[in-house]
């Protein structure tokens, strides 16, 4: 990615020339793929022209100079719609930009549009959007994964250089795996969430998609660090420095049978190959007793549902968004929410409301938070023995559109291997690793808290090895 | 009878609890002091907690002798209302516990954010107030009469004034009162906005509950709403239908540690509190305890007393302020802050104290001053200053009214009042009436 930026700065390839190539790709593929909810082609062209001028006058600067960026539609970009793929916010325009977007734009990125997603990020297939499903660019009859479906597809199909997604239980890594790109979930509280619409606040992170590991390091270099508008973010990291200096020789990588429960055959086979490649680049493989993922992911729901129900309180049509009708306050709210939300969103709100009620001895959410502490301690122990943990990213290959939509249990199984990183807060990355037929396969690497820079650097050595 | 309170006080801070918006909501254009955070817009996040709010809350806690907690969490309290943009209110776990004010124990204090203001009739919301820092002070049900409740609230108000933590002097308190009578269950009354209204609401509620108990119907546990316009309480909900607020720690706000050195710093730099000042006035100036109490009950009055106490007999000065001045102010429904010339008040007292004017003149001057009829106080005092030749005037009057003198000498003792009045008139009140009477009595005997 940095090579491309160099070209764009030097004038070898003008930002607007590059943008036109990308727009051509969008015109060609977007009608089928449905990766975008809003496109701002004209705005992007204007911005590219300004960047052209800077090149001509020799003042081109910025780490992401001229790169085309797509942004998931639950991340705010000033003056653009912020729909969260929901009817509730169909016409809502954000008056401010997310910190992450602001920082990327300041470094020269051009925002091309807002990408499709599962409604309010509730889904693992990209199918629950009010604006229709996104399709997998490698097989248009199959899902691209989710919830950051459009952002993954935009990068996979060359409709943007980089994109932003959000990850609460795997929403970046899952579609990255299904579409064959790098997708990175940073340590919780490394990137400001200011401007990210909440799903579950203690799990959510903003992270990048890129066709290469370099693009991940580059965008993270810019996005990481405190901004004063998200009370939780207090640390920063130097991604590029680590990226250029890292040596995988002797690095210890752990894995365990607990990570492979429920993993389907073709994926399991690729995982074994992945372990061999790790071995071949000098990593030391360590088999560990890891917490069985099928026991871990129910915990995810104890935490996610109540936080989601809490986050969704503000969408009641009283201040903004879809307006309800009725003869009293509660009718007006119920009407707006009834019309504004899709089935999966409603399912989660109802479950989350019950799980957080005080009428139970102790709220389920409270119990979930306690169990999570135990899980963190367990993972911390594992990281005393190894530098990284690895598993497949998703237990199975991209499935057909509509196949799992009515079966939440099957749908939720897609998150089985990714939720561990969200529950514990550790960084994790999807490394595209080979194909099964046309369909991409992805492997996951997880690292220690705030060792995101090393994790991304490690992923680089596995790039193109599938 | 047991009465307890939950008292909400807006804290005087520059910016709101979780965003940098200004806090002067009552004087700003509607919806001008707002940002994505206090409007609850999609994607907004709370900024780090406003430190001034924590400091001010700690000052209140420390002055009530409370035990400060080492760490607080902010919880989300969920409910739907048009003035609550995010659908939940952020409210902290107790910042401090176990305090006391007078005979009333304070259970806890916590910090929370105020919602916006909803105009039900117009259906409009002003979010200027949304996110302003509040403290909630929770008492034990230690008050046993309306009078005790009133005393407590007045003492608390005074304390908060001394601490300088009140944001908007015209609001001060929003009170939820709970009250239970012997044999009945506890009833909570919400939405009472002044001490006067608290008294009214309590009196109404006591009557209502007494009647229920006497008729044998009993008082059930419920939440009622104080309807200020109609002067009645109205049932909001009974226990069975209590709302479930789904309290949950706000994942967007890291726990706030309370630095023990900050607590010590605040403890040692607390301003002088009303009861401390009262004792000092008694000690240093020798004023009576009741007079000292009256002086500290109006903070500015007490401070003015002290400012001038070195230039005049402190006891005389204190009496002048608390009886003469206070009396005139009360008669006019004013408080000390409304006095047009505070220096003038002192000059009048001083002139009387030094015998340059009479008591009558002092009172008249004071009245004129408060009614805005005096520009130059010194010049006016000059006009009223005691006449040197009062004996001459007395003689003049005796000569001028022989028939009155005759009446007096015949035993109609009240006739002397007529002569005193005439002397006072001729001296335009600058003579000392008692001395005039003495002179007359001597002359006519």
């Amino acid at each position: 990615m940095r090579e491309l930026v160099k070209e764009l700065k030097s004038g070898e390839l003008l930002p607007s020339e590059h943008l036109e190539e990308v727009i051509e790709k969008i015109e060609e593929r977007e009608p089928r793929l449905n990766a975008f909810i809003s496109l701002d082609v004209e705005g992007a062209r204007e911005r590219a022209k300004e960047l052209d001028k800077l090149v001509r006058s020799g003042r081109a600067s910025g780490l992401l100079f001229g790169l085309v960026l797509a942004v998931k539609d639950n991340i705010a970009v000033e003056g653009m719609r912020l729909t969260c793929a929901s009817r509730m916010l169909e016409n809502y325009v954000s008056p401010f930009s997310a910190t992450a977007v602001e920082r990327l734009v300041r470094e020269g990125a051009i925002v091309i549009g807002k990408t499709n997603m599962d409604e309010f990020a509730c889904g693992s297939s990209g199918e629950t959007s009010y604006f229709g499903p996104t399709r997998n660019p490698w097989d248009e009859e199959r899902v691209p994964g989710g919830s950051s479906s459009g952002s993954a597809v935009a990068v996979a199909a060359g409709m943007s250089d980089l994109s932003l997604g959000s990850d609460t239980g795997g929403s970046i890594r899952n579609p990255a795996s299904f579409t064959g790109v790098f997708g990175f979930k940073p340590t919780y509280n490394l990137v400001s969430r200011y401007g990210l619409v909440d799903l579950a606040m203690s799990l959510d992170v903003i992270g990048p998609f890129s066709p290469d590991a370099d693009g991940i390091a580059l965008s993270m270099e810019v996005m990481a660090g405190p901004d004063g508008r998200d009370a939780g973010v207090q640390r920063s990291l130097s991604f590029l420095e680590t990226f250029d200096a890292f040596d995988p020789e002797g690095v210890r990588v752990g894995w365990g049978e607990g990570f492979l429960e429920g993993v389907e055959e073709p994926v399991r086979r690729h995982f074994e190959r992945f372990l061999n490649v790790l071995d071949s680049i000098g990593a030391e493989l360590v088999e560990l007793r890891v917490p069985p993922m099928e026991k871990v992911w129910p915990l995810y729901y104890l935490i996610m549902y109540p936080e989601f129900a809490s986050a969704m309180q503000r969408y009641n049509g009283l201040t903004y968004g879809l307006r309800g009708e009725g003869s009293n306050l509660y009718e007006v709210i119920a009407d707006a929410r009834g019309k504004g939300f899709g089935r999966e969103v409603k399912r989660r709100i109802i479950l989350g409301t019950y799980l957080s009620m005080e009428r139970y001895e102790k709220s389920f959410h409270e119990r979930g938070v306690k169990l999570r502490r135990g899980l963190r301690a367990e993972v911390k122990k594992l990281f005393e023995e190894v530098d990284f943990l690895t598993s497949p990213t998703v237990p199975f290959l991209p499935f057909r559109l509509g196949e799992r939509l009515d079966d939440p249990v099957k749908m939720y199984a897609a998150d089985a291997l990714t939720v561990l990183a969200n529950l514990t807060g550790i960084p994790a990355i999807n490394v595209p690793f080979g194909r099964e037929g046309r369909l991409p396969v992805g492997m996951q690497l997880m690292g220690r808290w705030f060792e995101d820079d090393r994790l991304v650097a490690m992923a680089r050595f596995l790039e193109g090895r599938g | 009878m047991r009465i307890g309170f939950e008292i909400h006080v807006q804290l005087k801070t520059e910016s709101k609890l979780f965003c940098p918006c200004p806090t002067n909501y009552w004087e700003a254009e509607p919806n001008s002091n707002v940002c994505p955070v206090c409007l609850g817009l999609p994607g907004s996040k709370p900024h780090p907690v406003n430190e001034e709010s924590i400091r001010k809350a700690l000052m209140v806690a420390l002055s009530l002798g409370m035990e400060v907690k080492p760490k607080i969490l902010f919880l989300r309290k969920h409910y739907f209302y048009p003035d609550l943009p995010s659908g939940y209110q952020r409210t902290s776990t107790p910042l401090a516990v176990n305090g006391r004010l007078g005979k009333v124990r304070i259970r806890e204090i916590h910090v929370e954010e105020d919602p916006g203001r909803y105009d039900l009739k117009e259906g409009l919301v002003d979010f200027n107030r949304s996110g302003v820092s509040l403290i909630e002070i929770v008492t034990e049900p230690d008050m046993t009469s309306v009078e005790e409740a009133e005393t407590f609230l007045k003492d608390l108000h005074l304390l908060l004034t001394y601490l300088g933590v009140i944001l908007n002097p015209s609001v001060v308190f929003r009170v939820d009162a709970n009250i239970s009578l012997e044999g009945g269950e506890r009833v909570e009354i919400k939405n009472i906005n002044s001490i006067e209204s608290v008294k009214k609401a309590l009196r109404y509620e006591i009557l209502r509950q007494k009647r229920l108990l006497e008729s044998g119907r009993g008082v059930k546990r419920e939440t009622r709403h104080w309807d200020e316009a109609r002067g009645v309480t109205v049932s909001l909900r009974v226990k069975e239908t209590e709302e479930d607020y789904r309290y949950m720690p706000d994942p967007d706000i890291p726990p706030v540690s309370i630095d023990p050195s900050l607590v010590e710093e605040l403890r040692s730099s607390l301003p002088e509190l009303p009861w401390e000042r009262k004792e000092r006035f008694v000690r240093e100036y020798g004023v009576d305890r009741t007079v000292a109490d009256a002086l500290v009950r109006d903070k500015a009055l007490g401070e003015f007393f002290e400012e001038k106490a070195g230039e005049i007999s402190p006891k005389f000065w204190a009496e002048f302020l608390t009886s003469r001045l206070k009396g005139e102010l009360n008669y006019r429904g004013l408080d000390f802050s409304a006095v047009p010339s505070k220096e003038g008040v002192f000059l009048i007292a001083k002139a009387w104290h030094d015998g340059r004017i009479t008591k009558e003149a002092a009172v008249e001057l004071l009245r004129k001053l408060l009614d805005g009829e005096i520009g130059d106080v010194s010049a006016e005092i000059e006009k009223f200053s005691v006449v040197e030749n009062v004996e001459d005037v007395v003689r003049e009057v005796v000569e001028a009214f022989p028939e009155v003198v005759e009446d007096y000498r015949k035993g109609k003792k009240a006739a002397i009042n007529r002569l005193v009045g005439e002397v006072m008139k001729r001296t335009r009140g600058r003579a000392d009436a008692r001395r005039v009477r003495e002179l007359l009595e001597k002359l006519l005997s």
Side-chain angles (χ1 to χ4, degrees):
Chain A
M1 197 58 64
R2 275 182 280 175
E3 283 304 312
L4 176 59
V5 175
K6 211 184 262 174
E7 270 181 57
L8 287 163
K9 277 184 180 168
S10 70
E12 248 174 274
L13 176 66
L14 280 172
S16 53
E17 290 169 356
H18 173 58
L19 177 68
E20 289 309 318
E21 290 173 3
V22 173
I23 291 171
E24 227 171 86
K25 266 274 157 42
I26 293 174
E27 281 167 354
E28 178 195 330
R29 303 219 61 187
E30 173 61 11
R32 286 288 297 157
L33 296 177
N34 195 27
F36 288 91
I37 290 173
S38 305
L39 277 165
D40 183 20
V41 172
E42 284 322 304
R45 278 182 171 138
E46 270 173 44
R47 170 124 166 103
K49 274 186 204 136
E50 283 167 29
L51 298 184
D52 289 354
K53 278 187 212 152
L54 292 177
V55 173
R56 291 205 190 90
S57 60
R59 287 181 294 139
S61 75
L63 284 171
L64 293 111
F65 188 85
L67 293 182
V68 180
L69 176 72
V71 179
K72 186 177 182 179
D73 211 17
N74 63 348
I75 299 172
V77 178
E78 187 181 335
M80 293 184 83
R81 280 196 301 164
L82 178 62
T83 70
C84 299
S86 179
R87 187 180 173 201
M88 178 60 85
L89 295 177
E90 188 177 1
N91 299 307
Y92 175 78
V93 175
S94 178
F96 68 97
S97 283
T99 300
V101 171
E102 220 173 72
R103 288 184 176 177
L104 295 173
V105 168
R106 200 192 301 145
E107 291 293 329
I110 301 168
V111 175
I112 184 72
K114 304 295 296 289
T115 60
N116 206 353
M117 55 186 277
D118 284 293
E119 186 183 6
F120 280 104
C122 294
S124 310
S125 68
E127 294 172 286
T128 68
S129 168
Y130 174 66
F131 301 93
T134 304
R135 291 167 184 274
N136 193 312
W138 305 105
D139 179 346
E140 292 175 4
E141 295 313 309
R142 289 179 188 268
V143 302
S147 66
S148 311
S149 48
S151 285
V153 169
V155 168
M159 299 192 290
S160 71
D161 297 313
L162 294 170
S163 63
L164 291 184
S166 65
D167 192 316
T168 305
S171 279
I172 289 174
R173 291 158 288 159
N174 173 303
S177 168
F178 277 14
T179 60
V181 297
F182 283 86
F184 180 58
K185 178 235 168 268
T187 300
Y188 183 72
N189 274 341
L190 179 61
V191 174
S192 169
R193 284 178 294 129
Y194 193 81
L196 169 65
V197 175
D198 299 324
L199 195 176
M201 294 66 69
S202 74
L203 305 169
D204 295 338
V205 294
I206 290 178
F209 290 92
S210 169
D212 59 5
D214 192 71
I216 301 288
L218 185 61
S219 47
M220 283 305 298
E221 174 87 11
V222 173
M223 288 193 289
D227 72 339
R229 294 190 295 187
D230 176 349
V233 180
Q234 279 150 14
R235 294 184 58 168
S236 192
L237 289 171
S238 294
F239 279 84
L240 292 175
E241 205 184 302
T242 309
F243 194 83
D244 295 336
F246 189 79
D247 181 358
E249 184 65 43
V251 163
R252 292 165 67 86
V253 181
W255 66 284
E257 272 302 321
F259 288 167
L260 295 174
E261 280 170 33
V263 172
E264 290 178 12
E265 189 41 45
V267 177
R268 190 180 270 262
R269 211 172 53 240
H270 288 281
F271 181 66
E272 278 154 23
R273 259 185 344 105
F274 188 64
L275 292 181
N276 289 335
V277 171
L278 278 167
D279 180 61
S280 74
I281 63 167
E284 191 183 323
L285 292 170
V286 184
E287 189 174 348
L288 299 165
R289 274 191 55 174
V290 298
M293 291 305 105
E294 287 186 343
K295 294 230 169 64
V296 169
W297 61 277
L299 173 56
Y300 170 65
Y301 296 99
L302 280 189
I303 290 169
M304 180 268 282
Y305 287 135
E307 292 190 10
F308 182 65
S310 171
M312 296 305 283
Q313 290 269 127
R314 69 184 61 193
Y315 306 106
N316 48 43
L318 296 178
T319 317
Y320 48 78
L322 188 69
R323 186 96 202 159
E325 285 166 15
S327 56
N328 64 47
L329 181 64
Y330 288 90
E331 276 179 33
V332 170
I333 293 171
D335 186 54
R337 288 162 74 87
K339 287 181 191 149
F341 297 145
R343 274 178 66 192
E344 180 61 21
V345 168
K346 284 178 190 164
R347 176 169 21 227
R348 293 190 187 195
I349 290 174
I350 292 166
L351 284 165
T353 301
Y354 276 96
L355 289 173
S356 52
M357 278 188 170
E358 295 162 65
R359 66 176 61 147
Y360 304 112
E361 181 78 6
K362 201 169 228 169
S363 92
F364 285 96
H365 178 258
E366 217 175 314
R367 293 187 223 178
V369 168
K370 205 169 206 180
L371 285 169
R372 172 163 66 181
R373 247 174 260 145
L375 183 65
R376 278 189 183 151
E378 207 173 330
V379 167
K380 199 169 177 203
K381 272 231 168 77
L382 295 178
F383 278 121
E384 282 167 14
E385 295 187 45
V386 295
D387 300 284
F388 301 109
L389 292 169
T390 188
S391 75
T393 304
V394 187
F396 38 77
L397 294 171
F399 44 90
R400 290 182 186 282
L401 285 160
E403 197 179 291
R404 296 184 184 224
L405 207 48
D406 292 320
D407 187 345
V409 176
K410 265 190 168 169
M411 185 68 90
Y412 291 178
D415 302 328
L417 304 175
T418 44
V419 294
L420 179 70
N422 301 86
L423 285 170
T424 56
I426 57 174
I429 192 166
N430 174 69
V431 180
F433 190 75
R435 279 166 197 275
E436 184 71 22
R438 282 175 300 169
L439 299 176
V441 183
M443 294 302 151
Q444 176 173 238
L445 280 176
M446 295 173 270
R448 294 189 192 106
W449 292 269
F450 295 104
E451 290 192 6
D452 305 50
D453 51 341
R454 298 185 73 227
L455 179 63
V456 178
M458 177 72 182
R460 170 202 188 180
F461 289 89
L462 299 157
E463 189 169 337
R465 299 298 297 267
Chain B
M1 183 193 313
R2 287 155 73 85
I3 299 168
F5 290 124
E6 289 170 19
I7 300 149
H8 298 86
V9 185
Q10 291 171 335
L11 291 180
K12 186 174 183 176
T13 59
E14 285 291 308
S15 51
K16 295 182 181 178
L17 189 52
F18 294 111
C19 66
C21 289
T23 51
N24 58 335
Y25 65 90
W26 62 95
E27 53 190 22
E29 276 289 295
N31 295 308
S32 60
N33 286 354
V34 293
C35 74
V37 179
C38 55
L39 285 176
L41 294 188
S44 64
K45 292 272 157 208
H47 293 205
V49 179
N50 178 268
E51 285 176 21
E52 192 58 23
S53 307
I54 303 291
R55 290 175 74 97
K56 294 268 159 79
L58 283 171
M59 283 169 66
V60 177
L62 292 171
S63 65
L64 291 169
M66 301 180 79
E67 187 186 306
V68 175
K69 294 280 181 183
K71 193 167 85 176
I72 56 169
L73 292 177
F74 278 90
L75 308 175
R76 291 180 174 190
K77 175 184 180 179
H78 300 88
Y79 63 93
F80 288 112
Y81 206 66
D83 64 9
L84 193 65
S86 49
Y88 53 81
Q89 183 191 22
R90 298 186 186 91
T91 167
S92 82
T93 54
L95 174 68
V97 295
N98 299 336
R100 183 178 284 278
L101 180 62
K103 61 165 276 193
V104 179
R105 289 169 299 157
I106 310 293
R107 187 184 299 165
E108 57 136 308
I109 286 185
H110 60 260
V111 183
E112 53 187 47
E113 57 177 354
D114 215 349
R117 283 195 290 183
Y118 177 43
D119 183 337
L120 195 71
K121 272 198 204 112
E122 299 288 326
L124 295 173
V125 186
D126 176 6
F127 288 107
N128 281 348
R129 200 178 72 181
S130 172
V132 164
S133 302
L134 287 180
I135 46 171
E136 182 175 322
I137 302 168
V138 184
T139 77
E140 297 291 347
D142 286 348
M143 288 150 278
T144 54
S145 68
V146 177
E147 290 67 36
E148 278 182 19
E150 181 184 9
T151 303
F152 170 76
L153 290 175
K154 284 191 167 161
D155 286 351
L156 181 64
H157 181 202
L158 190 65
L159 172 64
L160 296 171
T161 307
Y162 270 65
L163 293 172
V165 298
I166 295 172
L167 175 65
N168 179 358
S170 67
V171 177
V172 188
F173 283 160
R174 273 174 284 158
V175 178
D176 298 340
N178 54 70
I179 169 163
S180 60
L181 267 52
E182 194 73 31
E185 288 204 63
R186 190 173 61 120
V187 172
E188 188 175 0
I189 316 166
K190 288 199 162 299
N191 184 44
I192 325 178
N193 287 320
S194 69
I195 295 178
E196 275 315 301
S197 300
V198 170
K199 281 159 63 185
K200 282 189 228 161
L202 287 177
R203 286 201 187 109
Y204 176 87
E205 194 55 27
I206 290 166
L207 223 70
R208 192 188 68 86
Q209 293 187 20
K210 263 190 186 153
R211 270 188 211 143
L212 284 174
L213 290 169
E214 281 163 12
S215 69
R217 275 175 289 173
V219 175
K220 57 184 190 301
R221 179 138 175 208
E222 67 174 333
T223 304
R224 300 178 72 85
H225 173 92
W226 169 244
D227 185 331
E228 177 77 48
R230 289 164 53 209
V232 297
T233 65
V234 189
S235 183
L236 270 184
R237 48 184 178 260
V238 292
K239 189 187 170 196
E240 290 69 36
T241 58
E242 281 290 326
E243 280 191 71
D244 190 322
Y245 292 116
R246 291 151 48 217
Y247 282 98
M248 172 199 295
D250 191 323
D252 288 334
I253 306 168
V256 180
S257 296
I258 308 300
D259 184 355
S261 65
L262 171 69
V263 174
E264 283 324 303
E265 179 206 315
L266 290 172
R267 197 195 302 277
S268 61
S269 60
L270 276 183
E272 186 178 40
L273 301 176
W275 52 86
E276 293 167 350
R277 179 165 296 173
K278 178 174 148 188
E279 289 310 314
R280 188 168 59 78
F281 280 1
V282 171
R283 205 170 55 237
E284 272 180 32
Y285 300 107
V287 299
D288 289 348
R289 194 158 256 113
T290 47
V291 171
D293 190 68
L295 282 174
V296 301
R297 286 219 164 255
D298 186 330
K299 183 163 178 267
L301 184 74
E303 280 163 2
F304 186 55
F305 161 76
E306 192 151 32
E307 194 186 315
K308 300 289 187 189
E311 301 171 38
I312 187 171
S313 150
K315 275 186 87 158
F316 177 87
W317 176 223
E319 303 274 351
F320 183 82
L321 289 173
T322 55
S323 56
R324 296 286 156 205
L325 177 65
K326 262 293 185 193
E328 295 297 331
L329 285 170
N330 289 346
Y331 177 72
R332 288 165 178 74
L334 298 174
D335 61 35
F336 182 64
S337 63
V339 173
S341 163
K342 297 188 172 59
E343 186 61 28
V345 170
F346 172 69
L347 291 175
I348 292 165
K350 176 80 172 149
W352 178 24
H353 174 255
D354 296 349
R356 283 185 285 115
I357 58 172
T358 62
K359 177 177 130 192
E360 289 73 17
V363 170
E364 192 176 341
L365 279 166
L366 194 55
R367 286 180 183 155
K368 283 187 159 182
L369 180 109
L370 294 179
D371 294 337
E373 291 164 10
I374 299 184
D376 186 341
V377 179
S378 297
E380 203 70 15
I381 287 173
E382 212 42 57
K383 285 193 217 155
F384 277 78
S385 57
V386 177
V387 278
E388 304 293 340
N389 55 346
V390 65
E391 287 92 344
D392 296 346
V393 181
V394 167
R395 237 171 270 124
E396 267 172 48
V397 169
V398 168
E399 280 164 28
F401 294 91
E403 66 281 15
V404 182
V405 171
E406 195 56 33
D407 285 351
Y408 177 77
R409 285 196 169 131
K410 280 184 190 157
K412 219 174 149 192
K413 293 292 170 200
I416 199 167
N417 292 335
R418 173 87 199 282
L419 298 173
V420 173
E422 192 54 31
V423 174
M424 294 310 285
K425 200 168 138 195
R426 290 186 181 205
T427 57
R428 293 205 315 278
R430 290 178 293 170
D432 181 333
R434 210 166 38 182
R435 189 162 136 66
V436 170
R437 183 181 293 271
E438 280 166 19
L439 284 170
L440 279 167
E441 279 167 358
K442 221 164 99 189
L443 201 67
L444 301 179
S445 63

